[in-house]
């Protein structure tokens, strides 16, 4: 925070969250499990999975395994590609927003800082028609 006499000091306990935007839905480690869960929570995908798995049992086999597995694999693969593309777009948009420059008023004058470095107590100059 900035005291009335102009001296700046920050709390050491970091009790406030960082001013960083994160809209990503997945991490590198959670992408495959979460995507598969999202796909198979729908009845139709789960039904095709069970039917495809039943084709491994010789007594239940009706046709070629490929004709059951390929459509399901294609749908799941394309859905995962779309989710990956959307998540990468969110990551890029977040980086742009987190690196946007703002003017911070300090006792030494005005300095330019990225939005991700703004802390509680910083005095920011807000300009007309600027995203806050």
């Amino acid at each position: 925070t900035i005291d009335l006499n102009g001296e700046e000091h920050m709390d050491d306990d970091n009790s406030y969250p960082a001013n960083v935007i994160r809209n990503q839905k997945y991490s590198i480690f959670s992408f495959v499990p979460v995507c598969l869960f999202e796909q198979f929570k729908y009845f139709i995908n789960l039904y095709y999975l069970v039917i495809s798995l039943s084709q491994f049992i010789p007594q239940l086999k009706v046709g070629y395994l490929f004709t059951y597995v390929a459509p399901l694999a294609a749908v799941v693969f394309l859905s995962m590609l779309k989710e990956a593309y959307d998540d990468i777009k969110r990551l890029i948009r977040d980086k742009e927003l987190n690196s946007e420059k703002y003017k911070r008023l300090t006792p030494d004058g005005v300095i330019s800082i990225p939005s991700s470095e703004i802390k509680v107590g910083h005095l920011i100059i807000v300009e007309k028609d600027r995203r806050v």
Side-chain angles (χ1 to χ4, degrees):
T1 60
I2 295 180
D3 291 333
L4 293 176
N5 62 5
E7 295 178 16
E8 180 179 340
H9 64 84
M10 295 302 293
D11 296 332
D12 292 334
D13 63 354
N14 291 330
S15 60
Y16 299 107
N19 190 39
V20 178
I21 295 174
R22 288 190 187 110
N23 289 321
Q24 287 179 270
K25 194 173 181 181
Y26 309 103
S27 71
I28 290 175
F29 302 111
S30 71
F31 178 74
V32 172
V34 173
C35 251
L36 288 176
F37 173 76
E38 291 289 325
Q39 287 302 310
F40 291 117
K41 74 178 183 181
Y42 297 111
F43 175 75
I44 194 73
N45 288 349
L46 187 60
Y47 173 76
Y48 276 108
L49 177 64
V50 170
I51 295 297
S52 297
L53 291 176
S54 73
Q55 297 306 299
F56 286 106
I57 303 171
Q59 292 83 5
L60 299 176
K61 190 171 184 178
V62 175
Y64 295 111
L65 182 63
F66 179 77
T67 59
Y68 290 93
V69 174
L72 177 65
V75 167
V76 170
F77 179 73
L78 290 175
S79 297
M80 289 177 76
L81 279 179
K82 179 191 164 292
E83 286 294 324
Y85 176 74
D86 290 344
D87 209 45
I88 289 171
K89 281 179 32 181
R90 283 190 288 266
L91 173 68
I92 292 169
R93 188 175 58 239
D94 291 346
K95 283 187 178 184
E96 288 174 1
L97 290 174
N98 289 331
S99 63
E100 189 174 348
K101 298 289 186 184
Y102 286 89
K103 293 179 183 175
R104 177 178 167 216
L105 185 61
T106 64
D108 299 329
V110 176
I111 61 171
S112 182
I113 61 170
S115 64
S116 60
E117 293 181 11
I118 295 175
K119 306 279 185 212
V120 173
H122 286 176
L123 295 177
I124 304 297
I125 298 174
V126 179
E127 298 170 349
K128 182 180 178 184
D129 296 328
R130 183 82 190 263
R131 183 178 182 271
V132 179

